[in-house]
Coordinates of all heavy atoms in Angstrom, one line a residue:
W13 N -32.8 -40.0 -76.3 CA -33.0 -38.5 -76.3 C -31.7 -37.8 -76.5 O -30.7 -38.2 -75.8 CB -33.6 -38.1 -75.0 CG -35.0 -38.5 -74.7 CD1 -35.6 -39.6 -75.1 CD2 -36.0 -37.7 -74.0 NE1 -36.9 -39.6 -74.6 CE2 -37.2 -38.5 -74.0 CE3 -35.9 -36.5 -73.4 CZ2 -38.3 -38.0 -73.3 CZ3 -37.1 -36.1 -72.7 CH2 -38.3 -36.8 -72.7
M14 N -31.6 -36.8 -77.3 CA -30.5 -35.9 -77.5 C -31.1 -34.5 -77.4 O -31.9 -34.1 -78.3 CB -29.8 -36.2 -78.8 CG -29.2 -37.5 -79.0 SD -27.8 -37.9 -78.0 CE -26.6 -36.8 -78.8
I15 N -30.7 -33.8 -76.3 CA -31.2 -32.4 -76.1 C -30.0 -31.5 -76.1 O -29.0 -31.7 -75.5 CB -32.0 -32.4 -74.8 CG1 -33.2 -33.4 -74.8 CG2 -32.5 -31.0 -74.5 CD1 -33.9 -33.5 -73.5
W16 N -30.2 -30.3 -76.8 CA -29.2 -29.3 -76.7 C -29.8 -27.9 -76.6 O -30.9 -27.7 -77.1 CB -28.3 -29.3 -77.9 CG -28.9 -29.2 -79.2 CD1 -29.1 -28.0 -79.9 CD2 -29.6 -30.2 -80.0 NE1 -29.8 -28.2 -81.1 CE2 -30.1 -29.6 -81.2 CE3 -29.8 -31.5 -79.9 CZ2 -30.8 -30.2 -82.1 CZ3 -30.5 -32.2 -80.8 CH2 -31.0 -31.6 -81.9
Q17 N -29.1 -27.0 -76.0 CA -29.6 -25.6 -75.8 C -29.3 -24.8 -77.0 O -28.3 -24.9 -77.6 CB -28.9 -25.0 -74.6 CG -29.5 -23.6 -74.2 CD -28.9 -23.1 -72.9 OE1 -27.7 -23.3 -72.7 NE2 -29.7 -22.4 -72.2
Y23 N -34.5 -25.0 -76.1 CA -33.9 -26.2 -76.5 C -34.4 -26.8 -77.7 O -35.6 -26.6 -78.1 CB -34.0 -27.2 -75.3 CG -33.3 -26.7 -74.1 CD1 -33.9 -25.9 -73.2 CD2 -32.0 -27.1 -73.8 CE1 -33.3 -25.4 -72.1 CE2 -31.4 -26.7 -72.6 CZ -32.0 -25.8 -71.8 OH -31.4 -25.3 -70.7
S24 N -33.6 -27.6 -78.4 CA -34.0 -28.5 -79.5 C -33.6 -29.9 -79.1 O -32.7 -30.1 -78.3 CB -33.4 -28.1 -80.8 OG -33.9 -26.9 -81.3
A25 N -34.3 -30.9 -79.7 CA -34.0 -32.3 -79.3 C -34.4 -33.2 -80.4 O -35.2 -32.9 -81.3 CB -34.7 -32.7 -78.0
T26 N -33.8 -34.4 -80.4 CA -34.3 -35.5 -81.2 C -34.6 -36.6 -80.2 O -33.9 -36.9 -79.3 CB -33.2 -36.0 -82.2 OG1 -32.0 -36.4 -81.5 CG2 -32.9 -34.9 -83.2
L27 N -35.8 -37.2 -80.4 CA -36.3 -38.3 -79.6 C -36.7 -39.5 -80.5 O -37.2 -39.3 -81.6 CB -37.5 -37.9 -78.8 CG -37.5 -36.6 -78.0 CD1 -38.8 -36.3 -77.3 CD2 -36.4 -36.7 -76.9
L43 N -39.1 -28.3 -67.7 CA -38.8 -28.4 -69.1 C -40.1 -28.8 -69.8 O -40.7 -29.8 -69.5 CB -37.7 -29.4 -69.4 CG -37.4 -29.8 -70.8 CD1 -36.9 -28.5 -71.6 CD2 -36.5 -30.9 -70.9
L45 N -41.7 -29.7 -73.5 CA -41.4 -30.1 -74.9 C -42.7 -30.3 -75.7 O -43.7 -30.6 -75.2 CB -40.7 -31.5 -74.8 CG -39.4 -31.5 -74.1 CD1 -38.9 -33.0 -74.0 CD2 -38.3 -30.7 -74.7

Side-chain angles (χ1 to χ4, degrees):
W13 289 34
M14 298 289 292
I15 301 174
W16 60 94
Q17 188 174 34
Y23 296 82
S24 290
T26 56
L27 309 177
L43 171 63
L45 301 172

